[in-house]
Amino acid sequence: MRKNEKIDSVRVSRAGHTFHERWAARRALQLVFPKDDLFAVAVEGLSPSENFYLGQEAEEIADLVLYYGKGDTFETCTSQQILQFKYKYDAAPVTSSYLKKTLKKFAATLRELRRSTANEEIVAKLSFGFVTNAAFSADLWNAISCLKFGKAPESGGAETQAQFLATWCKEEEVSAEDIFRLIEFRASTSDLPAQDRSLRRTVSDWSAESAGRAATRLLALTKLLREKAE
């Protein structure tokens, strides 16, 4: 039984890394054919050009950082989003505990940035993103909405979820209202096969010569992202 559990944990870990790589690769392709003003991406950490020290929590939470505008630092970009990916082998609905570690690190990052930057600039530039294949329970979605917009919970379950989330923010000396208005939650995102199909289709569209050339370019792109993460 223990052997099976070990195999499962390795499989889940690999799937999580692949989920991250595929999502990051699709976003990185937009540097070539942009749909917005994306300027730079940093993988597994902040840009090496970053001037501000945002703390160890920021480095740990930054699976992918998107810089928009004309710079690859918080100071020079027009906006910056720090993304955390979380893959769940069983994508069944989750509750607030699924967000605890990530939320506390987002809050710690905001707390650290406030030491050197005016809150007005932070609100204008900074956002966080939480991307997962797992679904959120109805109570969790309602709790998030309440903390974002100051609404009353619609159920006892949602109220309990909101209390947990607010407590974890308070432990990092940040109010739930301040941090939640900066976070974009993306739950129930495409599973790995769907991510693969989408990425392969995009690369294939740009590789009219042959399917083999498209596959080679896809491998090269994911290899590049993996190397940048090391």
Side-chain angles (χ1 to χ4, degrees):
M1 186 66 167
R2 290 182 179 178
K3 183 177 180 180
N4 290 337
E5 289 176 355
K6 182 177 181 180
I7 292 173
D8 288 343
S9 67
V10 170
R11 184 184 298 123
V12 171
S13 178
R14 287 176 178 170
H17 285 300
T18 303
F19 178 76
H20 176 194
E21 286 177 1
R22 294 297 186 266
W23 205 98
R26 290 179 61 197
R27 200 66 180 93
L29 284 173
Q30 293 181 15
L31 290 169
V32 183
F33 294 98
K35 295 181 180 179
D36 47 33
D37 62 344
L38 181 65
F39 179 80
V41 299
V43 183
E44 295 290 356
L46 301 169
S47 165
S49 304
E50 191 62 73
N51 299 313
F52 293 118
Y53 175 71
L54 300 183
Q56 183 63 34
E57 290 87 353
E59 290 291 343
E60 292 174 356
I61 210 67
D63 286 341
L64 186 70
V65 185
L66 308 177
Y67 295 90
Y68 296 86
K70 297 297 182 182
D72 63 348
T73 67
F74 181 81
E75 189 175 21
T76 59
C77 71
T78 56
S79 63
Q80 171 185 340
Q81 185 172 51
I82 299 175
L83 290 162
Q84 163 79 177
F85 299 90
K86 193 167 183 180
Y87 182 80
K88 190 170 183 285
Y89 196 69
D90 172 11
V94 297
T95 58
S96 58
S97 60
Y98 189 69
L99 304 180
K100 181 177 180 179
K101 289 183 179 179
T102 299
L103 177 59
K104 286 176 70 69
K105 290 181 180 180
F106 281 166
T109 300
L110 175 60
R111 183 193 65 226
E112 191 65 35
L113 184 57
R114 282 174 166 174
R115 300 182 191 278
S116 58
T117 309
N119 194 59
E120 293 77 10
E121 185 177 8
I122 294 173
V123 172
K125 283 190 175 184
L126 180 65
S127 66
F128 299 96
F130 182 79
V131 182
T132 182
N133 66 315
F136 285 2
S137 69
D139 282 342
L140 178 55
W141 273 126
N142 184 235
I144 290 171
S145 179
C146 291
L147 295 172
K148 271 180 174 286
F149 305 110
K151 300 188 299 183
E154 297 176 356
S155 67
E159 183 176 7
T160 298
Q161 298 289 294
Q163 288 173 349
F164 280 132
L165 295 169
T167 296
W168 296 328
C169 295
K170 186 176 181 180
E171 289 174 355
E172 300 300 330
E173 302 175 15
V174 170
S175 74
E177 179 183 0
D178 286 351
I179 189 64
F180 269 86
R181 64 177 173 171
L182 300 179
I183 305 175
E184 178 184 2
F185 293 95
R186 305 177 194 178
S188 302
T189 58
S190 300
D191 58 16
L192 285 178
Q195 291 273 353
D196 269 338
R197 288 193 297 271
S198 179
L199 183 56
R200 289 177 185 277
R201 185 167 54 248
T202 300
V203 175
S204 179
D205 288 344
W206 295 347
S207 306
E209 299 93 334
S210 69
R213 180 66 62 86
T216 299
R217 288 176 174 171
L218 176 59
L219 288 172
L221 176 60
T222 54
K223 181 176 182 292
L224 175 62
L225 287 168
R226 195 174 298 117
E227 290 173 349
K228 292 296 183 182
E230 293 176 352

